[in-house]
Amino acid sequence: MSTMALRPRFFGMVRGETLKVSRQLSFWLMLGGSFVLLAIITLAITSAPNIQDQLKTDPTSWAFGVRDVFGTIFQIGSGIFLLIVGSRLFAMEYSSGTIRIIYARGTGRLRLLLAKMLTLAIIGILLLAGYVVVAGGILALLVNAWTGSLAPLQNLPSQFWEDLEIWAVVQGMSIGVVILMAAAAAGIGRSLAFAMAASLAFFPVDNFSVILELLGSRITKQDHPWLTISEYQLGPNLNIVLNLIEPGHHARAAFAAPLTPVDGTHALAVIGAFGLAFAAIAIFRAVRPDVLE
């Protein structure tokens, strides 16, 4: 039997990585917790003052506002979810000491990395699709209960649905970035603890640093380089990119935005550059031997 025949097939590797994720108790606990969080958000929305009146008088503004709320919840929740699951999936063999055994059995380094990435991408897509269906169903039930029909949703302008498609694309972009970030963190530290800590700390630090840059500008009374730095940070550009690229500019950034105005092309370029950098780090660390002696 040839050596090539002994190598595991790529989609078999993907199936194996999927099995690893499905057997993680933390995966199911977080998934269950997300439903609880969604229920809490729904209760908060239904108890908000004048929410029913706005739906009846200005359904378009109501729809955009609800999209911002549910969209922000998904972006935060899916990001944390994928960073935790991804960090564990990318780094578990390093921490358990089984990575050399896997390679010795014929598994290619780059193929294993790509299998893990594809597994997480599938999970991310399923999360997005499932969230849209569940959240859409909840909102449809609320609209029907408040107005007696789904007419307010059926009569929304086409621009809302076009912007919703752009929102889905941006969420897919965000999912891709966090997967690459988890892969890069696991590759750098080759440790589950480091990968999880670095991944989960990145966006809070990135967003909070914008406040420090604003303070630095005010203390020194100089705009450069303080305000310019925020133009090239991943978090602020991800926060503002949907507003910049959707035609009606209805989306509002829930967290820090660049301190100086940027356009959609700039934001997409920054996000793309970070994604390529994370991918390069992950690939370099994956193909580089663990033991050089």
Side-chain angles (χ1 to χ4, degrees), residues 4 9 60 84 112 129 166 189 200 209 223 232:
M4 288 299 295
R9 296 181 178 179
T60 301
I84 293 175
L112 179 61
I166 297 175
L200 292 175
S209 64
D223 291 342
Y232 301 95

Side-chain angles (χ1 to χ4, degrees), residues 94 181-191 194-195 198 277-278 281-282 284-286:
Y94 291 116
M181 180 189 298
I188 292 173
R190 288 182 172 167
S191 160
F194 178 88
F278 291 146
I281 293 171
F284 174 75
R285 293 293 290 170

Side-chain angles (χ1 to χ4, degrees), residues 261-277:
V262 297
D263 58 23
T265 302
H266 173 92
L268 290 172
V270 170
I271 295 168
F274 270 95
L276 288 175

Side-chain angles (χ1 to χ4, degrees), residues 47 96 115 123 125 165 200 212 233-234 240 255 266 287 291:
S47 61
S96 62
I123 293 173
I125 292 171
E165 292 175 2
L200 292 175
L212 299 180
Q233 292 179 239
L234 176 59
I240 200 69
F255 300 101
H266 173 92
V287 300
V291 180

Side-chain angles (χ1 to χ4, degrees), residues 174-274:
S174 178
I175 288 171
V177 168
V178 298
I179 291 173
L180 293 174
M181 180 189 298
I188 292 173
R190 288 182 172 167
S191 160
L192 176 58
F194 178 88
M196 195 167 294
S199 297
L200 292 175
F202 183 91
F203 283 114
V205 172
D206 198 33
N207 281 275
F208 181 74
S209 64
V210 174
I211 300 176
L212 299 180
E213 291 155 11
L214 181 59
L215 290 175
S217 174
R218 291 179 176 178
I219 291 172
T220 61
K221 297 182 179 180
Q222 297 290 331
D223 291 342
H224 187 76
W226 304 104
L227 303 187
T228 307
I229 295 173
S230 65
E231 297 179 19
Y232 301 95
Q233 292 179 239
L234 176 59
N237 280 281
L238 264 177
N239 295 336
I240 200 69
V241 67
L242 177 60
N243 173 269
L244 296 175
I245 65 176
E246 65 177 4
H249 301 287
H250 295 95
R252 292 169 292 181
F255 300 101
L259 296 174
T260 54
V262 297
D263 58 23
T265 302
H266 173 92
L268 290 172
V270 170
I271 295 168
F274 270 95

Side-chain angles (χ1 to χ4, degrees), residues 100 109 190 284-285 287-293:
R100 290 174 176 82
R109 296 170 182 269
R190 288 182 172 167
F284 174 75
R285 293 293 290 170
V287 300
R288 184 173 182 269
D290 294 28
V291 180
L292 302 179
E293 292 83 357

Side-chain angles (χ1 to χ4, degrees), residues 57-175:
T57 59
D58 191 357
T60 301
S61 296
W62 179 88
F64 277 112
V66 169
R67 185 205 64 175
D68 285 346
V69 173
F70 278 89
T72 300
I73 295 301
F74 176 79
Q75 189 165 8
I76 298 172
S78 64
I80 295 174
F81 184 93
L82 288 172
L83 285 174
I84 293 175
V85 174
S87 298
R88 183 173 177 81
L89 187 63
F90 284 119
M92 61 191 309
E93 285 89 6
Y94 291 116
S95 291
S96 62
T98 59
I99 190 67
R100 290 174 176 82
I101 298 175
I102 293 175
Y103 290 154
R105 290 179 175 177
T107 302
R109 296 170 182 269
L110 189 56
R111 285 162 60 88
L112 179 61
L113 176 66
L114 293 177
K116 292 177 183 290
M117 287 183 176
L118 180 57
T119 300
L120 290 170
I122 293 172
I123 293 173
I125 292 171
L126 292 176
L127 281 176
L128 178 58
Y131 186 83
V132 169
V133 171
V134 173
I138 290 173
L139 292 175
L141 290 174
L142 289 177
V143 170
N144 187 67
W146 289 343
T147 65
S149 70
L150 297 178
L153 295 180
Q154 295 170 346
N155 296 327
L156 289 174
S158 60
Q159 185 183 53
F160 172 79
W161 302 110
E162 293 171 1
D163 286 356
L164 191 62
E165 292 175 2
I166 297 175
W167 172 85
V169 172
V170 171
Q171 299 312 309
M173 187 190 314
S174 178
I175 288 171

